[in-house]
Amino acid sequence: MSNKQLHRIKTISEYHRVMGLPKPEHPLISVLNLETITYFPGNEPMSLVFDFYSISLKRNYNAKIKYGQQEYDFDEGIMFFISPGQVFGIEVNKDEKLKRSGWILLIHPDFLWGTPLAKKIKQYDYFSYAVHEALFLSEKEEATITGIMQNIGQEYHSNIDKFSQDVIIAQLELLLTYSERFYHRQFITRKITNHHILDRLEDILTEYFNSDTLTKKGLPTVQHIAETLNVSPGYLSGLLKMLTGQSTQQHIHDKLIEKAKEKLSVTDLSVSEIAYELGFEHPQSFSKLFKTKTNVSPLEFRQSFN
């Protein structure tokens, strides 16, 4: 897929133009029924970048977007969330007529300006999830989301007045809250797959901390762990918080403390030597983290074994 062209779409009006749609009724927001989009530019694989938010609910989608290798239990409605500047790939089957149903909501950040949602929308982790970590909806959940999308669409197509933005923002907040709830449901209902990720995380951390990679490269980053597990950092942390109450970074630190305790109790290495072996440039940083996590200093911990 390395031959994909990268297309940046800066405005919602430009999106409409590229897709062969009429000019949007509002330059900063658009609600589209996907059945009305019959045209897709070009047949070659492409990568797209939007300078606005995109929230989609799609089904019967025969344009190819990679969703990973898992088998999914909710295969009717698929939602995914794209934030400004995020790259995603799309490929249309040349031999099939483009067909899809569902909704797409496009929101320019300027539409949110001056509202609490301008800041809050950045706190929803799922905007940073990879496309293959999409939200798979049950029939009942899909009906809830479709109802909210229709409310936004109805307001969008009405005559704009001084209440229009407030009504749309309120509906959008409701949409985002329900989406968060449904993602949490997905974390729970996919327990087998999720615990497989948890098991693999444990194996990756154990292997990393038992190799000389730690001394050479320092502590593993959240990005490195996520890439090794083939998930995005945001999705991994969201999943781990749901399953264990801890973020990826906290899991890394727990494994580090476990290894440090082992070295303090069974070797004669100095605290500085242990710090360097665990990938710390400065022993003080190691001692500070150890005390934060255990309420005792490395030396106090060691003395408790003598």
Side-chain angles (χ1 to χ4, degrees):
M1 302 292 273
S2 57
N3 61 336
K4 279 186 185 178
Q5 288 182 289
L6 182 65
H7 294 267
R8 182 167 213 117
I9 299 181
K10 295 182 178 178
T11 65
I12 291 171
S13 296
E14 184 183 350
Y15 178 92
H16 274 243
R17 194 164 59 249
V18 167
M19 292 296 182
L21 296 166
K23 190 176 174 183
E25 294 180 37
H26 192 295
L28 300 179
I29 185 167
S30 181
V31 187
L32 299 166
N33 183 330
L34 288 177
E35 289 177 10
T36 65
I37 302 178
T38 54
Y39 168 77
F40 194 87
N43 283 322
E44 295 308 312
M46 65 168 69
S47 292
L48 293 170
V49 181
F50 296 159
D51 284 356
F52 42 85
Y53 291 96
S54 164
I55 300 171
S56 314
L57 167 61
K58 299 181 179 183
R59 71 183 92 75
N60 308 321
Y61 195 69
N62 68 338
K64 195 178 187 181
I65 297 179
K66 190 170 170 74
Y67 286 107
Q69 307 305 319
Q70 302 179 44
E71 288 185 17
Y72 293 107
D73 39 13
F74 293 88
D75 55 5
E76 283 301 304
I78 298 169
M79 276 191 89
F80 57 91
F81 306 78
I82 297 168
S83 57
Q86 193 175 341
V87 181
F88 64 101
I90 190 162
E91 185 177 344
V92 177
N93 190 329
K94 300 177 189 179
D95 303 321
E96 289 185 38
K97 184 182 175 186
L98 185 66
K99 62 172 186 180
R100 47 187 163 177
S101 60
W103 300 80
I104 185 165
L105 174 61
L106 307 173
I107 311 126
H108 196 279
D110 287 355
F111 184 78
L112 308 176
W113 189 83
T115 74
L117 197 53
K119 185 177 180 183
K120 191 178 177 186
I121 196 168
K122 294 174 183 173
Q123 295 168 4
Y124 289 103
D125 290 337
Y126 46 72
F127 276 106
S128 65
Y129 294 171
V131 174
H132 70 267
E133 295 149 357
L135 175 57
F136 288 75
L137 299 174
S138 67
E139 203 172 310
K140 190 176 177 183
E141 290 168 350
E142 188 178 336
T144 299
I145 295 295
T146 298
I148 299 171
M149 286 279 202
Q150 286 172 336
N151 288 343
I152 294 173
Q154 189 176 338
E155 190 63 31
Y156 171 76
H157 292 299
S158 301
N159 293 326
I160 301 289
D161 60 28
K162 69 176 186 175
F163 298 103
S164 301
Q165 185 189 29
D166 290 345
V167 172
I168 291 172
I169 292 286
Q171 290 292 324
L172 181 55
E173 282 198 90
L174 187 61
L175 178 74
L176 296 175
T177 302
Y178 268 116
S179 300
E180 184 148 46
R181 169 189 273 183
F182 297 155
Y183 254 117
H184 274 254
R185 184 272 308 149
Q186 183 162 295
F187 287 148
I188 294 166
T189 54
R190 301 247 170 107
K191 275 184 178 172
I192 295 172
T193 303
N194 293 339
H195 282 291
H196 177 61
I197 289 178
L198 200 55
D199 290 342
R200 283 185 61 213
L201 170 70
E202 182 63 28
D203 291 343
I204 289 164
L205 288 176
T206 300
E207 187 180 334
Y208 195 101
F209 277 87
N210 286 341
S211 69
D212 58 358
T213 311
L214 198 56
T215 313
K216 290 176 181 174
K217 295 186 176 177
L219 286 178
T221 62
V222 172
Q223 183 76 32
H224 168 78
I225 298 293
E227 282 174 4
T228 309
L229 287 167
N230 197 29
V231 295
S232 64
Y235 187 86
L236 179 59
S237 276
L239 171 62
L240 291 176
K241 278 180 183 171
M242 185 69 209
L243 291 174
T244 67
Q246 291 189 303
S247 66
T248 313
Q249 190 69 59
Q250 287 171 310
H251 276 269
I252 293 169
H253 284 163
D254 282 353
K255 181 58 75 172
L256 169 80
I257 298 302
E258 182 187 309
K259 199 71 187 170
K261 284 179 174 179
E262 181 188 312
K263 287 179 182 290
L264 286 164
S265 56
V266 302
T267 75
D268 293 324
L269 294 170
S270 69
V271 172
S272 293
E273 287 169 327
I274 290 171
Y276 289 129
E277 281 200 2
L278 292 175
F280 285 85
E281 284 185 45
H282 307 291
Q284 305 94 302
S285 302
F286 164 67
S287 295
K288 185 178 177 185
L289 178 64
F290 190 92
K291 184 154 190 177
T292 301
K293 290 287 184 180
T294 65
N295 292 322
V296 293
S297 71
L299 277 178
E300 287 169 335
F301 179 83
R302 171 170 273 169
Q303 283 161 2
S304 70
F305 278 87
N306 297 332

